[in-house]
């Protein structure tokens, strides 16, 4: 009888291992399904957000156009000329646009995008290594 007890324990351990592997596999499948569902929802939310940004941009452009028109009409009453008012408002807006464009060009230049801290760090590392090799 004593020989049967270790055999049952072995079967129990083997059964537990098989059950643990099966449970782990089921858990991994459920986690993957949850991941796909969550990712799908997040992508849907991202596209909705992008669509809302586009709609907001359309409304912002319309608002800028209306405010510009109102500013031209108000300035026309001050300077007694709608053409002069339109030139003034247009000129100011053109100066703002040029300034923003020049700033954007500078911000997006290759030298501004270069990883300067990383380059300095690599140069410093190279100097330390060359000193160790030489010294």
């Amino acid at each position: 009888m004593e020989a049967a007890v270790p055999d049952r324990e072995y079967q129990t351990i083997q059964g537990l291992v098989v059950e643990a592997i099966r449970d782990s596999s089921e858990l991994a499948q459920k986690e993957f399904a949850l991941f796909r569902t969550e990712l799908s929802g997040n992508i849907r939310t991202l596209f909705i957000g992008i669509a809302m940004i586009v709609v907001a941009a359309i409304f912002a452009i319309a608002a800028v156009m209306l405010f510009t028109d109102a500013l031209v009409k108000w300035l026309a009453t001050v300077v007694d000329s709608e053409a002069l008012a339109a030139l003034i408002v247009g000129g100011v807006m053109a100066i703002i646009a040029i300034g923003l464009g020049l700033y954007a060009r500078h911000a997006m230049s290759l030298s501004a995008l270069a990883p300067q801290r990383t380059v300095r760090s690599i140069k410093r590392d190279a100097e330390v290594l060359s000193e160790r090799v030489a010294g």
Side-chain angles (χ1 to χ4, degrees):
M1 280 217 185
E2 291 180 25
V5 172
D7 191 37
R8 275 192 271 163
E9 287 179 11
Y10 176 74
Q11 288 177 352
T12 304
I13 291 172
Q14 184 181 19
L16 288 173
V17 169
V18 168
E19 186 178 336
I21 291 172
R22 185 178 60 244
D23 289 346
S24 297
S25 175
E26 289 175 9
L27 179 63
Q29 288 174 358
K30 288 178 182 177
E31 291 291 340
F32 186 69
L34 175 64
F35 171 75
R36 284 191 322 200
T37 303
E38 187 176 9
L39 187 62
S40 173
N42 289 348
I43 290 172
R44 188 177 306 113
T45 302
L46 177 69
F47 282 125
I48 290 171
I50 289 171
M52 291 298 119
I53 288 173
V54 169
V55 171
I58 291 169
F59 276 99
I61 290 169
V64 167
M65 291 171 56
L66 289 171
F67 284 135
T68 302
D69 186 48
L71 182 61
V72 168
K73 289 179 181 177
W74 172 79
L75 194 56
T77 61
V78 173
V79 296
D80 289 328
S81 171
E82 194 165 327
L84 181 59
L87 284 173
I88 293 170
V89 171
V92 170
M93 291 183 77
I95 290 170
I96 292 171
I98 290 169
L100 290 172
L102 291 174
Y103 175 76
R105 186 174 129 207
H106 171 71
M108 294 186 335
S109 69
L110 291 178
S111 62
L113 296 176
Q116 295 174 358
R117 289 183 294 191
T118 303
V119 170
R120 281 194 307 265
S121 177
I122 290 172
K123 284 181 181 178
R124 216 176 14 241
D125 293 344
E127 289 172 1
V128 168
L129 288 174
S130 65
E131 288 174 5
R132 285 187 183 174
V133 170

